[in-house]
Amino acid sequence: MGLTKRMRMAIVALWIGMHVQVAMMEKVTKPKPDISTSPLDIPPRVLMGPGPSSAYPRILSTSSLPLLGHMHPEFLSIMDNVQSWLKYSFQTDNKLTLAVSGSGHAAMEAAVANTIEPGDIVIVGVNGIWGERLVDMCERYGAIVRPMRLEAGQVFSQLDVMAALQANPGTAALILVHGESSTGTLQPLDGIGRIVRSHRALFILDAVCTLACVPLNVDEQMIDVVYSGSQKCLGAMPGASPLTMGPRAVAKLQNRKTKVRSYYLDMNLVGNYWGVNEGQPRAYHHTGLITNIYALREALAIVAKEGLEYAWSRHELQAKALWEGLQKMGLELFVTNAKARLPTVTTVKVPAGVDWKEVSTYVMEKYSLEISGGLGPTAGQVWRIGIMGHNARPGNVAMMLSALEDALRHVKWTGLKPLGKTVVEKTEL
Ligand SMILES: *Cc1c(COP(=O)(O)O)cnc(C)c1O
């Protein structure tokens, strides 16, 4: 009676296996990485590329505040304030106005994922890398993408938009990039919203490089969906990215035939956490980015305190001072049409015979100041200089110009015209 020899052996083997495994699991089998464990020591740098921009000190200090629970009334009330200030910054009454958890790409993806359904025709304005990425993103969400292409440095006209919509009847959405940070263009918006609306399409706008720095009025300009980021124009840390969706976009979201393909970015659910859906109780969806929301609150408080008109003029004035200085030095701006030039990110042509990297490395090593190279269609051809948020001040413009002048002298560029004493003339409002 009982177990055969084979069965007894199997039980013994199992017993040994279990105990050996437990013993193994209590043992560290991979050594500690050989990395310094002293507190972080970050070199102070002035970040004046296309982003991240140096943050306002007042915003940085929010990262040492204690955490709150993501459903604590005190935190929900901070979220409410963020929402009110976002509406002001976007110039909108849209209820669905909130911060998406993640960098600008997360808000970009949320805009696409929520409003585009498989089979939708989507027109994307491509005049730089951000349009390119939007094409890719829309394709991933099943759209039939009709890119509208222009050379780097050019912007779309009302006629371009009209022609694209006429050529593509039944278009569901048209997407443009307000500030193309890869090429330095500012897309004019006036009139475009009305044209897109008359074709019953949604107008989606990338404002990652413009919100609160460049004039934008979401409601007046009839833009249905706008997204942004926190670490460029708003001068905060990356992580909580503004998004607003108007009634036409929300109607599309609520009447979708298919579920939003991203759970994390489903604005039906995220909207409930932000309390934007009438009659729906606030509910946990994913843990709010507590500290990033503190930072965004602080950034938006700075915008509100300063006032949008003042912030817009401050950026315009500093950008113009920079452009003037660069041209006086003998450099050429990549975007020749001054009206289509983005104040927040300036693209400067790298002169023939100059190695762009040598210049930016010199400026970084000597001044701890960041100037970036080109990206996508402008790679190797330009430097990109950011004037955003905390950096949009006379002292920063002056420092940028004199550091560049020094670097160009260092690389022995023969075209250099010294700026002399009048580095920055008028920069105070
Ligand atoms: C930086 C940028 C993005 C992407 O933002 P991340 O915060 O890097 O994800 C999107 N669009 C534009 C125009 C940008 O400049």
Side-chain angles (χ1 to χ4, degrees):
M1 119 101 231
L3 306 170
T4 64
K5 192 173 171 203
R6 257 177 91 122
M7 283 164 88
R8 275 201 304 271
M9 274 168 67
I11 289 166
V12 168
L14 201 66
W15 188 90
I16 292 172
M18 265 165 58
H19 285 77
V20 168
Q21 185 144 19
V22 166
M24 294 274 280
M25 283 189 334
E26 282 168 2
K27 224 169 129 177
V28 171
T29 57
K30 319 256 187 255
K32 268 188 214 168
D34 183 21
I35 296 170
S36 161
T37 54
S38 353
L40 276 178
D41 180 20
I42 306 294
R45 285 187 178 151
V46 181
L47 304 180
M48 289 183 74
S53 325
S54 306
Y56 289 94
R58 170 176 167 187
I59 298 180
L60 281 179
S61 62
T62 59
S63 57
S64 59
L65 294 172
L67 294 182
L68 283 169
H70 60 282
M71 297 299 285
H72 290 185
E74 296 83 354
F75 185 64
L76 298 180
S77 125
I78 295 172
M79 290 168 75
D80 290 344
N81 292 345
V82 162
Q83 236 169 353
S84 304
W85 277 331
L86 278 179
K87 288 182 189 170
Y88 168 69
S89 303
F90 278 124
Q91 288 292 286
T92 186
D93 294 323
N94 292 341
K95 280 209 187 95
L96 207 162
T97 300
L98 46 75
V100 178
S101 302
S103 76
H105 276 85
M108 185 197 263
E109 191 141 354
V112 170
N114 285 272
T115 55
I116 307 297
E117 284 206 83
D120 278 356
I121 298 173
V122 180
I123 298 171
V124 181
V126 182
N127 55 349
I129 200 175
W130 300 110
E132 259 349 313
R133 288 215 179 162
L134 281 159
V135 168
D136 184 342
M137 231 177 236
C138 289
E139 281 173 355
R140 286 166 195 251
Y141 284 91
I144 300 164
V145 184
R146 298 281 150 79
M148 190 171 52
R149 292 183 190 275
L150 275 183
E151 295 270 296
Q154 307 289 316
V155 288
F156 297 93
S157 67
Q158 293 188 18
L159 280 177
D160 293 331
V161 169
M162 246 183 261
L165 285 162
Q166 266 156 18
N168 296 287
T171 291
L174 181 136
I175 316 184
L176 292 178
V177 178
H178 194 202
E180 218 339 318
S181 56
S182 68
T183 62
T185 53
L186 174 66
Q187 173 62 49
L189 299 174
D190 287 340
I192 292 183
R194 191 178 297 278
I195 297 168
V196 178
R197 197 159 290 189
S198 72
H199 283 78
R200 306 226 182 93
L202 293 176
F203 182 18
I204 304 176
L205 187 73
D206 176 318
V208 178
C209 249
T210 50
L211 182 68
C213 293
V214 179
L216 174 67
N217 190 318
V218 171
D219 286 358
E220 295 299 319
Q221 288 168 318
M222 299 191 182
I223 315 170
D224 298 294
V225 183
V226 186
Y227 59 87
S228 190
S230 53
Q231 80 279 17
K232 299 186 185 185
C233 286
L234 294 174
M237 305 70 129
S241 298
L243 172 75
T244 186
M245 288 175 60
R248 299 168 76 240
V250 171
K252 173 103 196 258
L253 169 62
Q254 287 171 346
N255 296 311
R256 287 177 67 98
K257 293 185 254 345
T258 55
K259 272 191 179 182
V260 174
R261 292 211 177 161
S262 163
Y263 182 86
Y264 193 65
L265 298 173
D266 185 338
M267 289 303 130
N268 287 307
L269 309 174
V270 176
N272 282 345
Y273 175 45
W274 282 81
V276 301
N277 297 325
E278 206 91 49
Q280 298 271 2
R282 283 177 100 130
Y284 163 73
H285 171 254
H286 65 268
T287 304
L289 303 187
I290 316 294
T291 312
N292 285 96
I293 296 295
Y294 297 167
L296 185 59
R297 183 264 175 214
E298 215 65 2
L300 296 169
I302 291 170
V303 172
K305 185 170 176 219
E306 184 175 32
L308 279 175
E309 295 94 334
Y310 189 92
W312 296 339
S313 342
R314 175 165 68 90
H315 286 82
E316 191 190 342
L317 202 58
Q318 302 312 321
K320 284 190 170 154
L322 176 75
W323 299 342
E324 213 180 296
L326 293 168
Q327 286 168 319
K328 270 190 192 161
M329 229 189 269
L331 290 164
E332 273 179 68
L333 301 178
F334 181 74
V335 179
T336 44
N337 171 6
K339 280 208 197 94
R341 219 177 267 151
L342 182 61
T344 49
V345 179
T346 296
T347 39
V348 192
K349 283 192 196 166
V350 178
V354 172
D355 175 358
W356 74 268
K357 186 95 186 136
E358 198 182 343
V359 169
S360 61
T361 305
Y362 179 84
V363 169
M364 175 56 81
E365 283 174 0
K366 183 158 171 187
Y367 298 93
S368 289
L369 174 62
E370 181 177 49
I371 302 177
S372 300
L375 179 67
T378 59
Q381 297 180 44
V382 300
W383 288 291
R384 292 183 301 156
I385 302 175
I387 302 262
M388 294 182 265
H390 187 51
N391 287 334
R393 290 174 295 149
N396 285 52
V397 174
M399 171 170 60
M400 173 56 73
L401 288 170
S402 61
L404 244 181
E405 184 179 349
D406 179 15
L408 289 167
R409 193 172 289 120
H410 173 78
V411 301
K412 304 194 168 55
W413 177 46
T414 50
L416 181 66
K417 296 183 196 140
L419 278 178
K421 276 188 242 149
T422 56
V423 178
V424 178
E425 272 160 10
K426 181 178 177 295
T427 54
E428 294 299 345
L429 280 182

